[in-house]
Amino acid sequence: MGVATRTPTVAYKPKPGEIPTNPGVYRFRDADGRVLYVGKAKNLRARLSNYFAPLHTLHERTRRMVTTAASVEWTVVPTDVDSLQLEYQWIKEFDPPFNVRYKDDKSYPFMAITLADEAPRVIVTRNRRIKGAKYFGPYPKVWAVHDTIDLMIKVFPIRTCSDSSYKKAMATGRPCFPGQIGRCGGPCSMKVTVEEHRAIVDDFIAFMSGGDQRFTRELTARMREASAAMDYEAAAVYRDKLQAIDAVLNKSALVLAPDTDADLFGIAEDELAATVQHFVIRGGRVRGVRATTIEKELDITGAELVDQVLQRTYGGAAEADIPKQVLVPALPDDAADLEEWLRERRGRNVSIQVAQRGRKAELMKTATLNAQQALMLHKTRRTSDYVARTQALTDLQEALDLAEAPLRIECYDVSHLGGTNVVASMVVFEDGLPRKDQYRSFKVDETTDDTDSLYQVLTRRLAHVDRDDALSDSEEGEQVPTARALSDAAVLQEPVVTERRRPRFAYRPQLLVVDGGKPQVEAAARALRDAGHEEIALCGIAKRLEEVWLPGEDFPVILPRTSEALYLLQRLRDEAHRFAITHQRKRRRRDIQSVLAEVPGLGEARIRALLRHFGSVAALKQATVEQIEELPGVGPKLAASIHSHLLQP
């Protein structure tokens, strides 16, 4: 192991040649000795040299980690597989703040069979640490576990009663109460021996592990034999068990081949977080689903995220919980090492594959869609939570060095199509929540310069600040006559009745946010100076690295990935972008409709059909008469008329 201690800046950088070229695991520590980040490498020297490149070339968040650290140390290991295991152990032990942070969306219920007991019983539990227990799931809801157990014990009647009931029944020789009402099939029901019950438990586990086809065939054969022997009571028992099996199987549709045992991971991510949908597939059926949220501090690729997810999922997993196939959206760089690591843990071969076609690809799309919805819900919950909103505003105040928390924030975004259809949006958040009634949109002169467009928009908005301040401070506000009051006053010769007109922009903002980096922030700062309102705070958020820029600064402010303030700024930026795109689409749609409305004989219904098919005037202009004529209700004459009209200058 080598260790380097810190002097000013990044002088703790190891000397050339000091770092070995072997595979290993490294740790960055701060001045107090706390582990900040743990990583693995096939070649320690090559990997660590990336962190000690010139600071201005580093990703902003990597730079923050490197400059926060006070030392770096490494441990050489014999093989790449050993580095996987050691990295997992260190991350679990030290919980480094710059590594990805995992948070299960909830504590999921499982079905567990207590195999360590003399007479194993089936229970519903959230405790994954029952000694000797065999688990199935997780299930999305508790009632789903209970429903499955109710159906399963009709086919495989195993013990369901409590340990105290079991001991009392075995001591007294009287059946336990659940056994008396047919709800318990353990030895305490006095219907089977301990050995016979253990065999039924084994069948229960085999069925839940994916062996449903064998039991269906066996029960069908027994039912037919009993029916042929005219033992209709036994045949009815087998029939009821088959119906119970069908009911269990119908709760989880066959999604892959019946002999498929796999884990499938759907992942959705943005710059700050990711969500994982883990589908547990046994016997071709989805037997369990687990959702996980990941907080990202450093920027990592999708393949690196998959690597971390697999390590975390299987690092502490039992042999039986590792399937023979793992389906992922992107193949990690060390996929072969991961396969070897999983093979050592499972005792049999494990393959890691990307689902590219067929049923597996369709199931991956489903898992990814679920992950995307979970990510959106995660972000929405954070911004709607009062405590989180309060923390976000406080963090913003501190990070931007504001005199007070920014209770009213306005965010601006410019959107255009190659310099045409330029629009801008203004979204408003008050107390951390959107005020959609105060959103505004702007039409901007055509230009390809976003900074000029932003300057125009802010100049127009800031022109209203003083006037709206006066209107808001006035007790009466600006009084304007109503239309009816003017007519009544003319007839009755009475004073004109007036009503207060609502200020166009309501209140001055305490913080302006622009979508972009340093150039956009400087353009906005120029608009504030020219309008004489430099007292209004300003910042920009750049999407690529999620850094926050302040006017006049050469380096951005880096907020922690888990910061509530960063989530709020990201939500503002995304909402401004959404609103700008929506406004632009409406304008484009109006433009298309106005052009098509000039074509003789073309009504609204046909215009809508053309819009659905082509989407834009540009696409229509490129279409031939024959292509336009393919639409229902558009004949040769009308198609030629549309074509010639669109070609006119």
Side-chain angles (χ1 to χ4, degrees):
M1 177 183 288
V3 179
T5 57
R6 186 179 187 179
T7 56
T9 68
V10 194
Y12 68 90
K13 173 183 176 181
K15 296 178 181 179
E18 187 178 35
I19 308 175
T21 57
N22 307 72
V25 183
Y26 55 91
R27 293 181 287 189
F28 282 88
R29 292 181 181 269
D30 64 12
D32 297 324
R34 183 180 63 151
V35 176
L36 298 178
Y37 183 74
V38 172
K40 66 179 182 301
K42 294 177 180 292
N43 183 321
L44 283 166
R45 181 182 299 175
R47 185 57 180 267
L48 285 173
S49 65
N50 294 331
Y51 293 99
F52 297 109
L55 287 179
H56 70 275
T57 66
L58 295 179
H59 185 286
E60 292 290 346
R61 298 188 177 278
T62 304
R63 182 193 308 162
R64 178 169 172 264
M65 188 274 290
V66 171
T67 55
T68 302
S71 65
V72 61
E73 58 188 34
W74 54 87
T75 298
V76 173
V77 296
T79 68
D80 296 333
V81 177
D82 291 326
S83 69
L84 274 170
Q85 184 64 38
L86 183 57
E87 181 190 32
Y88 168 75
Q89 291 175 354
W90 277 1
I91 290 175
K92 186 176 181 181
E93 178 181 354
F94 298 113
D95 191 22
F98 282 91
N99 283 90
V100 295
R101 312 290 292 274
Y102 297 89
K103 177 188 175 187
D104 285 339
D105 284 355
K106 61 183 78 175
S107 176
Y108 289 92
F110 286 81
M111 178 193 300
I113 293 87
T114 58
L115 294 178
D117 293 345
E118 177 187 63
R121 65 172 178 146
V122 58
I123 59 174
V124 179
T125 182
R126 298 179 191 270
N127 179 11
R128 291 299 311 272
R129 298 179 180 178
I130 301 175
K131 186 176 180 180
K134 172 67 176 178
Y135 291 91
F136 295 100
Y139 289 81
K141 302 291 182 182
V142 170
W143 58 261
V145 200
H146 285 294
D147 283 356
T148 302
I149 291 175
D150 288 344
L151 292 168
M152 286 295 296
I153 61 176
K154 292 179 180 178
V155 187
F156 308 101
I158 66 175
R159 182 165 79 91
T160 59
C161 67
S162 66
D163 289 341
S164 59
S165 295
Y166 174 78
K167 291 176 182 178
K168 182 178 180 181
M170 297 302 285
T172 62
R174 297 177 56 188
C176 64
F177 178 72
Q180 295 176 32
I181 60 174
R183 291 282 302 165
C184 179
C188 47
S189 67
M190 305 304 164
K191 296 179 181 178
V192 293
T193 64
V194 171
E195 292 74 19
E196 290 171 337
H197 178 260
R198 176 68 69 164
I200 299 173
V201 168
D202 291 342
D203 288 343
F204 187 110
I205 292 173
F207 179 88
M208 290 300 300
S209 298
D212 44 78
Q213 296 297 321
R214 173 172 67 87
F215 291 103
T216 300
R217 289 194 299 268
E218 289 179 359
L219 287 172
T220 301
R222 291 177 185 177
M223 180 182 69
R224 288 173 178 171
E225 289 174 2
S227 180
M230 291 186 288
D231 187 355
Y232 298 117
E233 290 185 4
V237 171
Y238 294 133
R239 178 203 62 199
D240 292 343
K241 289 186 176 182
L242 277 170
Q243 290 175 348
I245 284 179
D246 287 340
V248 172
L249 296 180
N250 287 336
K251 288 181 177 294
S252 56
L254 191 68
V255 293
L256 296 177
D259 61 344
T260 302
D261 290 344
D263 282 357
L264 184 143
F265 296 87
I267 299 176
E269 61 177 317
D270 61 16
E271 294 81 3
L272 302 178
T275 51
V276 180
Q277 288 283 321
H278 175 190
F279 286 8
V280 179
I281 304 165
R282 299 295 182 268
R285 301 178 186 274
V286 179
R287 303 288 187 175
V289 178
R290 178 185 287 111
T292 304
T293 300
I294 298 173
E295 306 285 0
K296 298 193 297 183
E297 183 61 35
L298 296 183
D299 185 58
I300 61 175
T301 65
E304 290 172 332
L305 183 59
V306 170
D307 186 316
Q308 292 293 313
V309 168
L310 296 186
Q311 284 189 55
R312 191 237 185 199
T313 302
Y314 301 116
E319 175 185 321
D321 292 333
I322 301 176
K324 61 183 178 182
Q325 190 175 128
V326 178
L327 302 172
V328 295
L331 208 60
D333 294 336
D334 57 348
D337 298 327
L338 281 166
E339 287 179 340
E340 184 178 346
W341 177 62
L342 291 174
R343 181 170 64 250
E344 290 179 359
R345 300 189 63 82
R346 183 173 184 255
R348 287 171 289 173
N349 284 340
V350 178
S351 66
I352 301 175
Q353 303 173 4
V354 175
Q356 295 180 331
R357 61 181 66 88
R359 288 186 179 182
K360 293 177 181 178
E362 290 299 319
L363 189 60
M364 179 61 75
K365 288 181 181 178
T366 301
T368 303
L369 178 61
N370 277 272
Q372 290 169 346
Q373 293 173 342
L375 180 60
M376 181 179 65
L377 182 61
H378 168 69
K379 295 172 68 174
T380 302
R381 283 174 176 170
R382 289 194 66 162
T383 51
S384 62
D385 179 74
Y386 175 77
V387 176
R389 296 201 318 269
T390 303
Q391 186 64 48
L393 296 175
T394 303
D395 289 349
L396 265 184
Q397 179 185 357
E398 294 177 356
L400 306 183
D401 195 22
L402 305 179
E404 57 184 357
L407 299 182
R408 179 182 171 92
I409 307 174
E410 294 178 3
C411 184
Y412 294 83
D413 181 38
V414 176
S415 178
H416 63 82
L417 293 173
T420 64
N421 280 326
V422 184
V423 298
S425 64
M426 179 190 96
V427 301
V428 180
F429 275 38
E430 288 187 355
D431 296 329
L433 290 175
R435 284 291 306 271
K436 295 191 177 183
D437 62 315
Q438 295 185 24
Y439 285 13
R440 296 289 182 269
S441 56
F442 303 84
K443 181 179 178 181
V444 186
D445 294 337
E446 292 188 0
T447 175
T448 56
D449 188 350
D450 283 352
T451 59
D452 182 58
S453 299
L454 191 60
Y455 175 82
Q456 290 184 43
V457 169
L458 286 173
T459 299
R460 288 157 58 184
R461 190 273 176 264
L462 293 170
H464 293 271
V465 170
D466 293 329
R467 188 184 69 178
D468 288 343
D469 281 349
L471 290 173
S472 299
D473 293 339
S474 170
E475 290 185 4
E476 298 297 331
E478 182 181 355
Q479 302 294 322
V480 295
T482 64
R484 182 170 181 177
L486 287 171
S487 61
D488 289 347
V491 175
L492 302 175
Q493 297 182 351
E494 293 182 353
V496 177
V497 177
T498 61
E499 62 182 14
R500 182 190 294 183
R501 186 172 67 186
R502 181 168 169 262
R504 183 178 180 189
F505 289 97
Y507 306 100
R508 84 164 50 217
Q510 285 139 334
L511 174 64
L512 294 183
V513 180
V514 296
D515 180 12
K518 188 174 182 179
Q520 287 76 17
V521 170
E522 295 304 330
R526 182 161 54 92
L528 285 169
R529 285 195 304 270
D530 294 348
H533 286 292
E534 293 181 86
E535 78 283 358
I536 298 176
L538 168 68
C539 74
I541 176 169
K543 185 171 181 60
R544 188 173 69 91
L545 300 178
E546 297 296 333
E547 70 265 25
V548 179
W549 287 88
L550 299 178
E553 298 292 336
D554 293 329
F555 295 98
V557 175
I558 302 299
L559 296 174
R561 287 281 183 176
T562 55
S563 166
E564 298 295 343
L566 188 54
Y567 267 91
L568 177 58
L569 289 177
Q570 189 187 41
R571 175 88 187 279
L572 274 158
R573 189 266 318 282
D574 292 347
E575 181 70 354
H577 183 68
R578 180 199 65 79
F579 191 58
I581 293 297
T582 301
H583 179 56
Q584 187 184 75
R585 286 174 178 168
K586 287 180 180 178
R587 284 196 59 211
R588 289 176 59 203
R589 192 175 183 85
R590 285 197 300 269
D591 290 344
I592 295 171
Q593 289 176 328
S594 62
V595 171
L596 295 178
E598 297 174 1
V599 179
L602 193 61
E604 291 186 5
R606 287 173 178 167
I607 289 176
R608 287 196 296 269
L610 284 166
L611 292 178
R612 283 195 300 269
H613 186 77
F614 292 100
S616 68
V617 172
L620 261 176
K621 286 181 177 179
Q622 295 175 2
T624 64
V625 175
E626 291 74 18
Q627 289 173 329
I628 298 174
E629 190 179 337
E630 291 176 359
L631 269 73
V634 179
K637 185 176 179 180
L638 182 56
S641 178
I642 294 171
H643 188 263
S644 62
H645 187 84
L646 291 174
L647 292 180
Q648 292 177 6

